[in-house]
Each structure stands twice: as structure tokens, then as C-alpha cells.
Amino acid sequence: MQIVGRIAEFHNDLKEWRHDIHAHPELGFEEERTSAFVAQKLAEFGCEVFRGIGKTGVIGRLRAGNSPLAIGLRADMDALPIEEATNLPYRSQNHGRMHACGHDGHTTMLLGAARYLAETRNFDGTVHLIFQPAEEGLGGGAAMVADGLFERFPCDAIFGMHNRPGLAVGKFQIRTGPMMAGGAYFDIAITGRGAHGARPESGVDPVITASHIAIALQTIVSRNVRPIDTAVVSVTQVHAGEAYNVIPERAVMRGTVRCFSRETMTMIEHNMRRIATGVAGGFGATAELDFRPIFPPLVNDETEARFIADVAAELVGEDNINRAGGLVMASEDFSYMLEQRPGAYIQIGNGEGEGGCEVHNPGYDFNDAALPLGASLFARLAEKKLASG
Ligand code: NI
């Protein structure tokens, strides 16, 4: 394994920063302490620092030489509303908050690259270090883009990274084209007519209506989505009624949709609305659909996906790169940035077996052994993309 020598030297600092961030997790758009920590470190390294992009987002800028080329390297900073169930010495000190997705590690890896690049400046152009808030379903990526991220900090290419439990440390995984699903949330409000539970003939039962809608929605994936495409429609909540002997007036269903293109998402929304209103109408009830796309699908640019895989292969060897990783049904809001600029997103191994606890689990922890490797990849991406001389 070829970790950048200088970065290997400060591995202990990386661990210390990561543990500090881990002990003080903050939810999306509330990353006050975390963004202050990041901003302070960036300033210490000698970066120009810009705060408040996408509320709690931070940008560090490094320049060397006079090339107009610029690269963007992005990490996420937010934690999850989970009560940590580890006994780590640096376990969460914030009740009900936890770095259960490894964003503490991602932030630290990008800080490590920033420190190295600021010291060495062995590149020609501009490096933008993008510390994004609120990745966990709150739209931090979109907020930074809406705040003029790429107008204020132009980038020719952008790169992001996420840890992958179950993949050994020292291995990377990526795919070209669509890699992670786009996601939407939906609410279906059904209105019937309330009645005594013993006199159904005098009402319109929204519970029966909701049940039929839930079943019918499952035909969208099997009958409307092309069999060679991939999609999920999950009804995850059904709420109605409060008494044993009352047929309620209303029922609410909620859930999520995942797929890999905007066209498929639009098609699913259209069919969902037709089924919900049509089925409800058949029972004499009404249904209203509120459909909210949350993330676009994450799509890796072909050239940049090859580039990041090639740079990773120089670090760990081609044998440790899987360039044909599987589709991931989870979503990732780096996709908002990848819709704006060419770039790629790669998975970095977080360890197998004992260290392989899944993300979003209360027993999860980022693997410190991966820190210098991820920092090295970020650093080398900048040095290769902005090669001097
Ligand atoms: Ni994550």
C-alpha cells in the first residue's frame, strides 16, 4: 500500500481529529462546532476559508502556480439521530446523536489532504476543499449548489468518497454511470367517510382503500418499470383510526421510491398518482399524492470515474480496485454536485469482519486505518488533475 509518506507521518493527528469530531456529532445544518473545527484547521494549514455556504458548509481554497484549472474535493460533515451503542473512549457526548455513517472520517480525510496540499503545493491550479453539511436526507448538497458553490468556486472536476463496511481497508469500489439511486418520499392522504365500526354500509372505509392502494402500488415496479431497469417502491407507514369501533374518516400512507434515472422517477410518480386516485375513486373515497424527489441519482462521469480509479490503483494496486461495483439502492446527495460538474464518487473499504459493522447501526465506527489512505487519494487527485510542469 502506497500511502503518501508525509500523510502517513501525521496519521496520529488524523486519528485525534477524527475522534474529536466523533465525540461531538451534530445533525444536518446544525454543524456549528464541526464547521468551526474544520475552518480553524484549514486556516492553520494556510488555506483561504469561506464559511456559510449552504448554511454550515465550509470551503477551503488552495492555489499554486497560475493554471486556471480547478478541482473540487468534497466531504460530508453531519451525523445521525442515533444513540451510540459503543464503548469507545471517544464515543458520542451528544445524547441521541452519532457519527454512524463515517462522515467524521470523511471530513478528517479531506482535512488530511488539505494539510498535505497546503504544505507541499505540488500542483498548478486551484483546489477547492468542499465540506458539505446535511447529507443525511436534508439536502446539504443542494443547498451549497443553490448558494452559488460552483459560480463562486468554479471546478473543472469534482470528487467524493464514502466508506464501505464489508470492503477491506486498502480496497476501493466504483462503477461508471449510475451508481447510487435517486430517492423520493411520498405521502398519500385518503379521505373516506367515518362510520360506526358495526355499520360499514353508512361510511366509506379509508383503511380498506389504503390497503388496496398499497397492494396496487406494488405493480408499478413489476408492470410499469422496464424489467431491465431497477426501482423500489416501499410503503413504510400506514396511519388510520384510533378506536376499535370507529371507521375513520382518513388514512395516510407514506413511503419511499428509489431508482436510477429522472425519467423512471417521473414515470413512477405518474403511475402512483393514477393508481392512488383511481383505486380510491373505485371505493368512493379520494386520495391525494404528495410526491417529493429528495435526491437525484448519483451518476459517475465515465472519464472521471476512470481517472479516480486509476489514481486509487496507483495507491493500492489494480488488484484492489473493483471498477464494476454493483448498483447501490441507497441515495447520496453528492449527486446534486455531480449534476452540475463532471466528477466521480468512490467507495473506500472500511474493513471486513469485526470492523464491518454497517453504516447507520448504533455499533458502527469509522476505521482509523483508512484515514491516511483516503487523505492520500484526495491529495493525489489534486496533484494528478492539476499536474505541474
Ligand atoms: Ni453517509
Side-chain angles (χ1 to χ4, degrees):
M1 199 185 295
Q2 291 277 313
I3 292 168
V4 173
R6 174 67 188 123
I7 292 175
E9 281 171 29
F10 60 67
H11 191 175
N12 280 334
D13 292 343
L14 295 177
K15 284 188 211 172
E16 204 177 289
W17 303 343
R18 213 270 297 174
H19 298 175
D20 189 320
I21 298 169
H22 187 93
H24 303 95
E26 296 168 302
L27 297 182
F29 293 125
E30 296 173 6
E31 305 95 333
E32 301 295 341
R33 186 188 186 279
T34 310
S35 62
F37 181 94
V38 165
Q40 191 203 329
K41 287 278 177 250
L42 291 173
E44 277 172 28
F45 304 153
C47 300
E48 292 174 88
V49 181
F50 305 85
R51 300 189 63 179
I53 297 109
K55 199 168 180 206
T56 40
V58 183
I59 306 286
R61 183 164 66 193
L62 282 168
R63 286 174 161 147
N66 44 29
S67 164
L69 279 179
I71 187 175
L73 305 172
R74 171 273 198 183
D76 40 18
M77 300 188 290
D78 56 322
L80 285 157
I82 293 176
E83 185 68 34
E84 181 161 349
T86 76
N87 286 315
L88 298 166
Y90 51 86
R91 62 176 306 207
S92 171
Q93 293 174 21
N94 297 347
H95 181 64
R97 305 279 184 265
M98 179 188 176
H99 270 295
C101 199
H103 299 186
D104 50 342
H106 305 162
T107 296
T108 302
M109 294 190 292
L110 190 54
L111 282 175
R115 175 171 172 181
Y116 165 82
L117 291 166
E119 279 178 11
T120 53
R121 310 238 180 193
N122 185 25
F123 58 90
D124 186 9
T126 303
V127 179
H128 292 122
L129 306 141
I130 303 168
F131 293 88
Q132 185 211 297
E135 193 285 321
E136 298 287 357
L138 297 169
M144 289 192 94
V145 169
D147 244 359
L149 172 65
F150 294 122
E151 289 75 40
R152 294 168 68 187
F153 308 97
C155 294
D156 295 294
I158 54 171
F159 298 95
M161 206 183 308
H162 204 291
N163 74 93
R164 181 77 200 105
L167 187 66
V169 174
K171 289 185 185 286
F172 290 90
Q173 186 165 290
I174 192 168
R175 66 181 281 126
T176 296
M179 175 163 149
M180 298 185 69
Y185 291 149
F186 64 85
D187 291 66
I188 300 173
I190 298 148
T191 306
R193 191 168 61 249
H196 194 293
R199 296 193 63 246
E201 73 278 13
S202 66
V204 173
D205 189 344
V207 176
I208 294 295
T209 308
S211 305
H212 279 268
I213 291 173
I215 298 290
L217 290 179
Q218 295 309 308
T219 64
I220 294 175
V221 171
S222 69
R223 302 291 83 182
N224 302 135
V225 173
R226 293 193 314 163
I228 54 172
D229 290 339
T230 303
V232 178
V233 174
S234 290
V235 176
T236 57
Q237 302 181 38
V238 180
H239 302 280
E242 289 180 74
Y244 285 100
N245 59 353
V246 175
I247 293 169
E249 284 273 314
R250 291 169 58 81
V252 176
M253 309 164 68
R254 302 193 177 105
T256 189
V257 173
R258 306 293 162 111
C259 61
F260 290 91
S261 75
R262 283 207 183 260
E263 294 71 44
T264 304
M265 190 65 91
T266 303
M267 184 274 289
I268 290 173
E269 177 182 359
H270 172 78
N271 282 283
M272 189 172 272
R273 179 163 287 115
R274 185 174 44 74
I275 287 171
T277 55
V279 170
F283 287 99
T286 59
E288 259 181 69
L289 171 69
D290 179 21
F291 192 91
R292 303 181 302 281
I294 306 292
F295 297 110
L298 182 136
V299 182
N300 279 332
D301 176 84
E302 189 179 341
T303 305
E304 303 304 346
R306 194 181 315 121
F307 172 73
I308 194 172
D310 288 348
V311 175
E314 283 179 33
L315 290 171
V316 296
E318 188 62 42
D319 288 353
N320 290 311
I321 312 292
N322 179 1
R323 294 174 187 252
L327 291 169
V328 181
M329 290 315 300
S331 299
E332 158 64 53
D333 88 350
F334 186 50
S335 55
Y336 282 105
M337 297 185 191
L338 285 176
E339 282 194 325
Q340 304 291 319
R341 291 293 181 275
Y345 183 78
I346 198 166
Q347 294 179 322
I348 177 171
N350 199 55
E352 295 168 306
E354 217 174 321
C357 178
E358 259 303 336
V359 292
H360 295 214
N361 179 290
Y364 169 87
D365 190 31
F366 186 89
N367 193 328
D368 284 328
L371 291 172
L373 196 56
S376 295
L377 179 58
F378 274 137
R380 286 287 189 242
L381 287 170
E383 290 182 339
K384 297 276 175 187
K385 198 53 125 180
L386 310 174
S388 48

